[in-house]
Amino acid sequence: MDELTLSDELAGAGGVATTDVAEYALWLGDDALILSQQLGWWISRAPELEEDVALGNIALDLIGHARSLLHYAGTASGRTEDDLAYWRTEPEFRSAWLFEQPNGDFGHTIARQLVASVYLFELYSRLRASSDATLAAIAEKSLKEVDYHRDHAVQWILRLAGGTDESRRRITVALADVWPYVDELFRDEPLIDRLEGVAVRPSTLRPAFDDVIVGVLSEAGLQTPAGFIASGGGRRGSHFTTMGYLLAELQVLARQHPGASW
Amino acid sequence: MSAPGASAEPWPLWEVFVRAGRGLSHVHVGSLHAPDSDMALRNARDLYTRRNEGTSIWVVPAEAITTSDPDAKGAFFESPAGKNYRHAVYYTASEGVKHL
Amino acid sequence: MTTPADLTAVTEPSPDERQFDDLIAADSRIEPRDWMPDAYRKTLVRQISQHAHSEIIGMQPEANWITRAPSLKRKAILMAKVQDEAGHGLYLYSAAQTLGTPRDEMTEALIAGKARYSSIFNYPTPTWADMGAIGWLVDGAAICNQVPLCRASYGPYGRAMVRICKEESFHQRQGFEILLELMRGTDAQRAMAQDAVDRWYWPALQMFGPPDDASPNSAQSMAWNIKRFSNDELRQRFVSMLVPQAEVLGVTLPDPKLRLDEETGQYEMSEIDWTEFNEVLAGRGPMNAQRLQRRRDAHEDGAWVREAAAEYARKQAAAREVAA
């Protein structure tokens, strides 16, 4: 590509974050990183080759968001995106439990994608108006990509729900399995009070999220799941049980070679 | 060994045409498999425009394409031969005259 | 078939055959609806589907490191590369399909263990440096093989290869840069890089196939303009590109006999040990079983998803019919 612009690699590069903004950037960056890490596993394992490519694109978009956000978070403490991704311990991560849910079967991955992409779409839509120029720029770039992720998830929800009896059964189970982790996404933490105008207050996203979800699920002829609500706690460093394994895999090589560059 | 679903109908084949930029025609780039046109479009986007190659995509069911009969190609494409006067280079007397 | 017409065809080519031969002689292209000899069609289906399978199986050795890539940039690059391979497999399946063999038939043959793919992908990738060595050596050898295929006489194959070669230009470079970074790094990183080069060098040279005097199908493929250069020519060309690159990297190519013959301009090299190659080809390589099992699992685990989407499409089409 002649018109290749290398600056695209990190959206919104240039600003320096305050401690609180950095903490917020970690919320968003860790969500994107963990989801990308999970989706990357599908490449070479998807139900059809075309879907290897589709999930690969989504994983690539997300790692792009993660890099921009972690890069920005790192400016507050003089750390790089890789310092943050590879050298933090589990309690230092800020991802929500939804993103930490295992891939499961393709239905579980799609159920998680639906929740994640609808949430991220609403979030980035509003974050574009952030008074923090870097966050606003990252949101602007990410929104268009997340819009496509949402479409991808919706298309698959419709097909799995409206396909065979087996697929309908599986997607119903998958949605029920994922639903306990929806609530945490919309919880306001004290950090949000300190970032008025910078961060998006999570609780304000819930009505729009519910509208979209109800619309999609009713088109698919599915009930919105109800039942357990998990405690969550990712924003405060308390993670889902599978997180330790995920991080062990993510970090193993980098940690065998402290100080090495790759 | 018979895999579950091995006997199921495979997804149909779609031919993909991509417009590389405004002012250009859609050009055939290849094919792919998809269950329906919505997914075919999305798969085409993921497969054939990963490097900014397109601004617009057509997908067409491969079975909907009618091809001219290859056995009759002589007869089918013979007519333009011998009609060089359809091409500007045929007119040599006006060579060197500007704006022609 | 031994009809009289066929017997006469041996001595006097039919108009179809004459046209095919003329097109080949003029270095033109054969297109899907053209008449072509059965053997030409068979050779192409075999070669293109093997090539497609190689791209698909070839995703696995590298996918092995996606979740463990040591930096986020490397992780992104690796994902993009493995994803490209899925794309390349798809381009090739679509070229093979124009010859009348549906993709599901090729997939079935692959997972049943009846189809071949490049033996190189039956080797394991125990270290990160393998990502570098695969890019530099395996993709490097593949590109050497593939660039001439852009001019293959079968149109759809050539066009698929043009697209693939264009996209693959980054694959070899990223591998080279992984090794370069390792060679500039710690002792452990340098050792990791050299070890990977030691393991991949000979298998990469074997990718060009047996020596010319032991390659029975090559002559016919060259006559048909499917293959443009002999196995040994391509191998020689590849080694001559590697030597200066290895110097830049600071790695040693594991062949003590490797040296440039100033007179001929050709590299002399040790005899390739084909026994190992033949073992791997015969299904007794380190990873043959695992590679196929993984492909079979993905196919079987995904069956319900593919069926669901097909069923949904049927229902939608039926609903549209009722509405119309």
Side-chain angles (χ1 to χ4, degrees), chain C residues 140-150 161 207-209 227 231 234:
Chain C
I143 291 169
C144 263
N145 266 330
Q146 288 171 359
V147 168
L149 290 174
C150 294
M161 291 315 305
M207 285 173 70
F208 296 97
K227 205 171 155 64
N231 296 351
L234 288 169

Side-chain angles (χ1 to χ4, degrees), chain C residues 240-278:
Chain C
S240 68
M241 287 191 285
L242 284 189
V243 171
Q245 292 170 356
E247 271 169 38
V248 174
L249 285 174
V251 296
T252 308
L253 296 176
D255 180 358
K257 288 193 187 154
L258 186 66
R259 67 166 205 98
L260 182 65
D261 183 331
E262 301 284 353
E263 253 166 56
T264 60
Q266 303 275 299
Y267 276 91
E268 282 175 20
M269 40 186 125
S270 303
E271 196 79 25
I272 292 179
D273 178 8
W274 292 101
T275 45
E276 185 195 72
F277 177 83
N278 289 329

Side-chain angles (χ1 to χ4, degrees), chain C residues 163-217:
Chain C
R163 185 170 264 278
I164 289 171
C165 287
K166 221 162 125 189
E167 296 189 353
E168 275 202 347
S169 53
F170 102 79
H171 292 186
Q172 192 185 14
R173 280 197 182 188
Q174 66 86 35
F176 185 85
E177 289 188 9
I178 286 175
L179 291 176
L180 195 61
E181 198 74 51
L182 292 174
M183 291 305 290
R184 287 175 180 167
T186 63
D187 288 350
Q189 284 179 303
R190 270 194 298 279
M192 193 195 282
Q194 182 62 55
D195 164 67
V197 170
D198 289 347
R199 280 183 290 110
W200 290 96
Y201 177 75
W202 289 110
L205 291 196
Q206 290 166 349
M207 285 173 70
F208 296 97
D212 293 346
D213 51 21
S215 180
N217 298 324

